[in-house]
Amino acid sequence: MLKVTNMHKNYGDLKAVQGIDFEVRPGEILGFLGPNGAGKTTTIKICSGLLLPTEGEVTLCDYDIVKEPTQAKKQLGYVPDDPFLYEKLTGRQFLEFVGEIYDINPQNRHQKIEDMMEQLELTDKADELIGSYSRGMKRKIALMAGIIHSPKVLLLDEPTLGLDAVSAKKAKDIIKEMAYKKNTAVLLTTHVMEIAEQICDRIAVINKGKLVAVGTLEELQQKAKDGTTLEEVFVNITKQQTSDLG
Ligand SMILES: Nc1ncnc2c1ncn2[C@@H]1O[C@H](COP(=O)(O)OP(=O)(O)OP(=O)(O)O)[C@@H](O)[C@H]1O
């Protein structure tokens, strides 16, 4: 599971994340919602070990991401919003390479790649260079690379960005499978309210670097007092906090 305690991140004078605490339990999908610049990507990058926090602690299955990065990263799958992929490799070669890094035995690796390619409808393009892929196809490869080793903690930054409706549905199914069949703790950021409503067990709302609400959709509806759709709840909660801050 993923545990974040009193996380702060400053970029120079800018306090991008200001003391946030949350947990994602095994088998749970937590959606991270917030306006542009709220601190979502910063938080997810700190959880992945790509950025150091200014203060606070992140543990993945009880391994501290700063003090025990090797152990912590073994538990982790991370799909950034701007994934780095080797464009001179084919999709299949890239996934074989990632699978080898995670020490997955060749038989299982080949099968897993076949299955994922089939599920995300990329089998026809598996042996073409990643450099020739569309943006959506690249994102599918990044998602496959993030889950190939069945991580215990999965971090997804805008997982359906650039995917067509059918592919987005398949990506959501894969994310649900990871949580509900493999017991993975999933943290995802999204701007798409439907995704939060459809697949997240709990939702955390972040605004100006602070967590302003965490709970199920029903709990957030009560907190917002007004509004029934998640979009209305989100607007009300962030508006309330903005006026509280002055
Ligand atoms: N490398 C950086 N250097 C300086 N400031 C940064 C850096 N990265 C992010 N920021 C600032 O930190 C704040 C939080 O940014 P972050 O990318 O975490 O927000 P976000 O919630 O992911 O936004 P979006 O929804 O627009 O992707 C913003 O004000 C942003 O300008």
Side-chain angles (χ1 to χ4, degrees):
M1 67 122 124
L2 172 69
K3 188 160 196 255
V4 171
T5 312
N6 192 31
M7 180 201 281
H8 290 255
K9 179 68 185 177
N10 300 344
Y11 295 110
D13 291 339
L14 177 78
K15 295 182 189 316
V17 178
Q18 303 185 50
I20 65 174
D21 298 272
F22 66 88
E23 250 181 55
V24 192
R25 302 182 273 257
E28 181 184 43
I29 305 176
L30 179 72
F32 224 45
L33 292 188
N36 292 129
K40 302 179 297 293
T41 298
T42 299
T43 301
I44 228 166
K45 279 190 174 159
I46 294 173
C47 292
S48 75
L50 264 187
L51 273 182
L52 285 175
T54 305
E55 197 185 321
E57 193 180 62
V58 175
T59 58
L60 286 81
C61 304
D62 296 326
Y63 294 109
D64 186 304
I65 192 73
V66 177
K67 296 182 191 140
E68 302 158 286
T70 310
Q71 287 300 334
K73 284 179 190 171
K74 278 190 187 157
Q75 322 299 325
L76 174 70
Y78 171 46
V79 184
D81 60 348
D82 55 348
F84 173 79
L85 303 169
Y86 291 98
E87 307 245 322
K88 300 259 185 289
L89 296 181
T90 67
R92 190 191 307 280
Q93 285 169 336
F94 178 70
L95 293 174
E96 287 284 348
F97 167 69
V98 174
E100 265 187 72
I101 292 176
Y102 284 116
D103 219 10
I104 305 170
N105 82 51
Q107 198 65 37
N108 292 352
R109 202 166 70 216
H110 304 329
Q111 190 57 52
K112 180 96 194 226
I113 293 170
E114 281 308 314
D115 294 346
M116 291 190 302
M117 288 279 190
E118 186 74 38
Q119 203 171 359
L120 283 170
E121 298 186 332
L122 220 58
T123 309
D124 291 356
K125 304 278 183 187
D127 298 307
E128 293 183 17
L129 292 182
I130 291 176
S132 72
Y133 285 4
S134 69
R135 206 161 74 109
M137 286 154 67
K138 286 180 184 168
R139 293 194 63 90
K140 290 185 196 179
I141 291 287
L143 176 60
M144 294 184 222
I147 61 169
I148 191 167
H149 56 303
S150 302
K152 296 213 168 70
V153 177
L154 180 60
L155 305 175
L156 303 159
D157 205 350
E158 296 281 348
T160 59
L161 189 75
L163 298 186
D164 61 61
V166 174
S167 303
K169 160 91 175 64
K170 298 203 164 164
K172 285 185 273 184
D173 289 344
I174 289 179
I175 295 166
K176 284 195 282 188
E177 253 175 61
M178 291 297 294
Y180 305 143
K181 293 202 182 142
K182 307 224 157 149
N183 220 25
T184 301
V186 181
L187 172 65
L188 64 84
T189 72
T190 184
H191 285 290
V192 185
M193 298 293 157
E194 279 163 24
I195 293 182
E197 277 173 324
Q198 287 167 0
I199 70 168
C200 295
D201 300 300
R202 287 188 305 141
I203 294 158
V205 181
I206 183 171
N207 192 20
K208 300 186 176 174
K210 292 186 175 167
L211 270 194
V212 288
V214 185
T216 61
L217 179 56
E218 294 71 32
E219 287 164 348
L220 296 194
Q221 281 165 338
Q222 280 170 12
K223 185 174 166 71
K225 296 185 188 92
D226 204 2
T228 48
T229 67
L230 181 58
E231 190 172 39
E232 288 165 339
V233 168
F234 173 74
V235 170
N236 288 343
I237 288 177
T238 49
K239 203 167 56 188
Q240 264 172 29
Q241 200 232 359
T242 303
S243 63
D244 290 350
L245 289 174

